[in-house]
Amino acid sequence: MASSKIDTTNIGLVLSGGGIRGMAHIGLLKAMQERDIKANYVAGSSVGALVGALYANGNSIEDMLGFFRETPLFKYDFFAINKPGFIDTERYFKLFKGYFPENSFESLEKQLFVVATDLLKGDEKVFSEGELIRPLLASAALPPVFSPVEINKVLYSDGGVMNNFPKEYVDDKADFIIGSNVSIAGEVNKKAIRNSILLAGRVTGLMIYASSHRKLLECDVHIEPKELEGIGVLDKKGIEKAFAIGYAHGSKALDEEMVT
């Protein structure tokens, strides 16, 4: 494999939310691994937080993909009872414990920043120390599908609501930043906004995309694969395709940086 010309000891990695499309993050990590590029600091929201945690934990590429292949999105005995949301997010705790047995940020090999949304204050919250699993569950709890997660009497939900691309948390630590945004909001036809619910979803998607895209362009190397638009956010059938897309775009972006 080619050796890296990215000469730095302080690399930051920022991974956006975006559901199953986040498997493209793992493709980027494979491209980094093949070029011996290692991040020291990782920041992520939603699926970006999950992928970032697995990476910071030292899991292999196959282990990361296995995590998402094995995690059931909709399971009948996971339905929420007396909780907002259709699925009880905390029912995933045991599965996460299998991957993060020590359940702490301090046990990770790299410094990790996980962003979640404080539903009570209406603000973002970054977790970087102490208990790991509940902040991860909270960051990935996409409303209204997954119920909020209670941490210290506060309800937290999807980090992407307030900050889908949390680059700020590595800015003052890293001197070279790699970013991956998989929350794509490309052109749609009129049928895609034919009712109030679809219209609200479209507007929200555009707002999240605009904020993420602006910060993404500030990264030294970045990917934002448009081909991901065809993959549903919760469509597990898209895992392999999203991974392949991320790998192709990541390899190209890194190779271009290495020859400049």
Side-chain angles (χ1 to χ4, degrees):
M1 298 296 176
S3 60
S4 171
K5 292 185 179 180
I6 299 175
D7 185 19
T8 178
T9 56
N10 289 306
I11 295 178
L13 178 67
V14 187
L15 306 175
S16 79
I20 294 299
R21 296 174 182 177
M23 300 307 96
H25 296 327
I26 304 178
L28 169 62
L29 291 175
K30 180 181 179 183
M32 288 171 57
Q33 184 182 81
E34 291 180 348
R35 290 155 182 80
D36 197 28
I37 299 169
K38 300 174 183 178
N40 310 86
Y41 309 100
V42 186
S45 283
S46 197
V47 70
L50 300 183
V51 173
L54 291 165
Y55 176 62
N57 195 45
N59 290 89
S60 68
I61 297 299
E62 190 56 36
D63 276 349
M64 294 182 204
L65 288 171
F67 174 86
F68 291 98
R69 291 185 188 121
E70 295 164 11
T71 302
L73 289 180
F74 302 104
K75 194 174 179 183
Y76 75 93
D77 56 345
F78 278 20
F79 285 122
I81 300 175
N82 297 323
K83 284 187 176 183
F86 301 116
I87 304 295
D88 185 350
T89 307
E90 298 203 36
R91 296 295 298 273
Y92 291 91
F93 187 94
K94 185 176 180 180
L95 189 150
F96 277 50
K97 193 75 159 56
Y99 281 82
F100 306 104
E102 294 185 46
N103 189 20
S104 72
F105 281 88
E106 290 75 15
S107 68
L108 302 175
E109 298 175 1
K110 306 172 188 297
Q111 188 166 7
L112 175 68
F113 301 91
V114 171
V115 173
T117 296
D118 181 336
L119 292 175
L120 304 184
K121 289 184 178 179
D123 199 2
E124 70 181 83
K125 166 74 173 179
V126 62
F127 295 90
S128 60
E129 59 185 17
E131 182 185 2
L132 173 65
I133 294 177
R134 289 189 191 281
L136 288 178
L137 290 171
S139 184
L142 174 69
V145 178
F146 298 98
S147 66
V149 175
E150 185 171 337
I151 303 173
N152 296 326
K153 298 183 179 180
V154 176
L155 292 177
Y156 293 98
S157 190
D158 192 341
V161 173
M162 297 301 296
N163 190 348
N164 197 50
F165 192 76
K167 176 175 172 286
E168 301 87 340
Y169 299 105
V170 301
D171 273 338
D172 62 343
K173 295 177 173 57
D175 50 35
F176 190 94
I177 298 177
I178 299 171
S180 176
N181 178 35
V182 299
S183 289
I184 312 299
E187 185 175 349
V188 299
N189 57 38
K190 291 181 180 179
K191 289 183 178 180
I193 50 174
R194 64 183 180 274
N195 59 47
S196 299
I197 294 175
L198 291 175
L199 175 60
R202 173 63 172 167
V203 171
T204 301
L206 288 171
M207 291 170 61
I208 291 173
Y209 172 74
S211 174
S212 300
H213 182 71
R214 174 181 54 80
K215 291 190 285 183
L216 178 76
L217 296 180
E218 298 171 357
C219 296
D220 298 285
V221 172
H222 63 269
I223 67 168
E224 190 178 67
K226 301 299 183 184
E227 299 96 316
L228 293 172
E229 286 185 76
I231 298 174
V233 173
L234 296 176
D235 183 9
K236 290 185 69 174
K237 294 179 181 177
I239 288 178
E240 312 303 330
K241 183 178 180 181
F243 170 70
I245 290 171
Y247 175 69
H249 279 257
S251 296
K252 184 174 184 291
L254 292 170
D255 286 344
E256 286 176 351
E257 176 64 25
M258 288 159 63
V259 298
T260 56

